Amino acid sequence: MSVAARNRIEPTVLQALRSPRLLTREALAGLVVAIALIPESIAFSLIVGVDPRVGLFSSFVMAVVIAFTGGRPAMISAATGAVALVVAPVAREHGFDYLIATVLLAGVLQILLAVLGVARLMRFIPRSVMVGFVNALAILVFVSQMPQLIDVPWAVYPLVVAGLGILYFWPRLTKAVPAPLVAIVVLTLVVVVFGIAVPTVGDQGALPRSLPELFIPQVPLEWETLQIIAPYALAMAVVGLLESLMTAKLVDDITDTRSRKTREAWGQGVANVASGLFGGMGGCAMIGQTMINVKASGARTRISTFMAGIFLLLLVVALGDVVAIIPMAALVAVMVLVSATTFDWHSIRPSTLKRMPRSETLVMLVTVVATVWTSNLAVGVGVGVLTAMVAFARRVAHFTTVTRTLSDDGAVARYTVDGELFFASSNDLTTQFDYAADPARVVIDMTRSHVWDASTVAALDAIVTKYAQHGATVELVGMNDATAALHGWLSDG
């Protein structure tokens, strides 16, 4: 895509700064995201077992830093549940200082992985896994709202319905002000004016009253410390990168633009290091908040990400008393709409399922089930990719054919091998030759095939050996250069 074409689709920061309309859209989108980040950050802090300020400050630092260092404009990075689950045992068993040391090491590892080109591995994630990832994400976002809808005052339900109504109809009137912001303001005013007693943001935990400060973890600089934090740091680095890169790919599809995955991986590492230096719990890209920013609010530039971090700090430090009265019902309505619009409904239509190969549908379903079952997007994607690999290997294995012809005088048997030969397709190659009935000379034509691995070379050698036991000689012809080189190297070895 040319730069000019990309700019027509995705405005630059400079273009947004010069346009009052675009700048307002980006700023208001950031405000909506900041409001939605508050209860999430507090909840993730509780998962880890640390003060709510840790999650809130981590979200602020990561959003601001990633706005400059990330490779995907408009994507939101902050404290996340996936990372919280990974590092929670460190805080619980070894204390806060070891937690911060783990976050710092994870950030360094992410930078190293970016340098090594880990982002390029994204090309090996099939579309069926991506669809399963998106659908599982939508389900998890919806399920995460259930605690706010169970065993709550009855007034919560009409408020959520009213919020969904605003979110649905407001964009039909105007898109100048994001519908999520309108829903939050209107429902907050209704609750305050009519004195309705419902759960609020303030009920989720205490908000900080001071700015974050530089924090250096006091841990022994010795091998034992590294042994404690390294496994958790590596898990955090991998989970964070996978979730971030998958989210970036999702936003690429939504906006029809391309992001810089390697820069995003590097930026995530820098953001986590910065988060750790200010006593934050680290994190990665937030899929739900990113969807609020990109899909619900229409943001497209780094300004929205930066403003989300700035607004978050202002809201919790300077306007904590105001933020505390926002009803959770308003945020639930926003997240329910996000889950509904994120889910790929086309993927489960009967007409789609009828046209789609069964293996593709299986991979999508396995990804969804594994993700929802474990509540871990990284695990779900890993299982989905593994399933896709197995399905691909099984499908390709059936594409190889062996055809036998006999010369007019019956002195030569010629076998033509057609297809790609690797461990799956060559597994039963030895069974497709008639050793006992063939004449003393056998020709195996490899012109329309390609050998990819040692398993196939071993199979070919086994065929030659079997014919030798029957007193026949075998001639391999038609090998391309790569196949001949591999066969010669491995056979000689």
Side-chain angles (χ1 to χ4, degrees):
M1 181 184 294
S2 67
V3 174
R6 178 170 178 166
N7 287 344
R8 285 197 297 271
I9 299 174
E10 184 179 272
T12 64
V13 170
L14 187 59
Q15 289 173 331
L17 291 174
R18 290 175 175 174
S19 170
R21 181 182 63 83
L22 292 179
L23 184 58
T24 300
R25 183 188 70 185
E26 298 294 313
L28 292 178
L31 177 58
V32 174
V33 170
I35 294 173
L37 277 173
I38 294 172
E40 297 267 354
S41 300
I42 295 174
F44 299 147
S45 298
L46 298 178
I47 290 175
V48 179
V50 295
D51 190 282
R53 290 178 297 178
V54 176
L56 290 167
F57 287 158
S58 183
S59 295
F60 155 67
V61 172
M62 291 204 68
V64 170
V65 172
I66 206 69
F68 294 95
T69 63
R72 172 65 261 176
M75 194 163 77
I76 305 297
S77 291
T80 60
V83 169
L85 290 171
V86 171
V87 299
V90 182
R92 183 171 58 250
E93 297 172 14
H94 302 284
F96 184 72
D97 287 272
Y98 279 85
L99 167 66
I100 300 305
T102 301
V103 173
L104 291 171
L105 180 58
V108 172
L109 290 175
Q110 287 179 328
I111 294 173
L112 291 176
L113 289 172
V115 173
L116 294 174
V118 68
R120 289 192 289 271
L121 296 177
M122 283 293 295
R123 72 185 68 180
F124 295 107
I125 298 181
R127 175 169 175 75
S128 53
V129 174
M130 189 67 192
V131 173
F133 167 82
V134 170
N135 290 345
L137 154 69
I139 294 171
L140 288 177
V141 169
F142 181 80
V143 171
S144 69
Q145 305 309 305
M146 289 299 99
Q148 303 297 334
L149 295 173
I150 298 174
D151 195 23
V152 293
W154 69 268
V156 168
Y157 303 109
L159 286 173
V160 171
V161 172
L164 290 172
I166 294 172
L167 293 168
Y168 181 79
F169 290 107
W170 182 261
R172 299 172 184 270
L173 301 176
T174 178
K175 294 184 178 180
V177 181
L181 180 59
V182 176
I184 291 170
V185 171
V186 170
L187 294 186
T188 301
L189 290 175
V190 168
V191 168
V192 172
V193 171
F194 293 97
I196 303 174
V198 292
T200 63
V201 171
D203 297 330
Q204 306 303 304
L207 300 178
R209 299 291 183 180
S210 61
L211 297 174
E213 299 177 351
L214 191 64
F215 182 87
I216 304 298
Q218 300 301 310
V219 297
L221 298 178
E222 55 189 28
W223 178 250
E224 185 179 352
T225 301
L226 184 61
Q227 286 181 310
I228 293 173
I229 67 174
Y232 297 102
L234 180 60
M236 174 181 167
V238 172
V239 168
L241 281 183
L242 181 57
E243 191 159 343
S244 298
L245 294 176
M246 291 290 285
T247 304
K249 179 66 169 62
L250 177 58
V251 178
D252 289 351
D253 293 341
I254 293 172
T255 60
D256 291 326
T257 58
R258 294 175 60 187
S259 59
R260 298 165 63 184
K261 302 297 190 304
T262 297
R263 177 175 173 178
E264 182 60 38
W266 176 83
Q268 289 291 331
V270 174
N272 272 307
V273 170
S275 173
L277 289 175
F278 283 93
M281 55 184 276
C284 61
M286 292 196 76
I287 305 171
Q289 273 65 23
T290 297
M291 291 299 100
I292 292 176
N293 196 44
V294 174
K295 246 188 171 180
S297 301
R300 291 294 182 270
T301 74
R302 299 175 184 274
I303 296 175
S304 59
T305 306
F306 176 76
M307 294 307 298
I310 297 300
F311 277 131
L312 175 62
L313 186 64
L314 291 175
L315 288 172
V316 299
V317 175
L319 300 173
D321 293 337
V322 177
V323 172
I325 65 176
I326 296 176
M328 288 300 298
L331 301 179
V332 170
V334 173
M335 298 307 291
V336 168
L337 181 68
V338 166
S339 66
T341 55
T342 301
F343 195 92
D344 187 351
W345 298 101
H346 179 267
S347 66
I348 60 172
R349 289 178 182 171
S351 57
T352 303
L353 295 175
K354 187 178 297 184
R355 294 195 310 269
M356 193 70 62
R358 291 182 179 178
S359 60
E360 298 284 319
T361 302
L362 175 64
V363 170
M364 186 267 286
L365 292 176
V366 167
T367 304
V368 171
V369 172
T371 303
V372 174
W373 184 269
T374 62
S375 297
N376 190 318
L377 294 167
V379 171
V381 170
V383 173
V385 170
L386 181 61
T387 304
M389 291 170 59
V390 173
F392 174 76
R394 285 176 58 85
R395 187 165 63 249
V396 173
H398 298 294
F399 289 164
T400 301
T401 59
V402 178
T403 305
R404 179 182 183 271
T405 57
L406 201 62
S407 62
D408 293 337
D409 58 3
V412 180
R414 188 180 190 87
Y415 288 88
T416 301
V417 182
D418 195 338
E420 303 299 311
L421 296 172
F422 64 110
F423 64 90
S425 58
S426 63
N427 191 45
D428 59 349
L429 187 64
T430 58
T431 65
Q432 301 187 50
F433 292 82
D434 196 349
Y435 304 100
D438 281 339
R441 186 183 174 208
V442 176
V443 176
I444 301 178
D445 188 353
M446 308 285 291
T447 305
R448 294 189 295 183
S449 63
H450 186 99
V451 174
W452 288 100
D453 60 5
S455 297
T456 304
V457 174
L460 291 173
D461 289 346
I463 293 170
V464 173
T465 301
K466 283 179 176 292
Y467 272 114
Q469 293 172 351
H470 286 80
T473 59
V474 176
E475 181 182 3
L476 297 171
V477 300
M479 288 187 179
N480 57 39
D481 292 341
T483 295
L486 180 65
H487 181 267
W489 180 45
L490 293 178
S491 292
D492 292 342

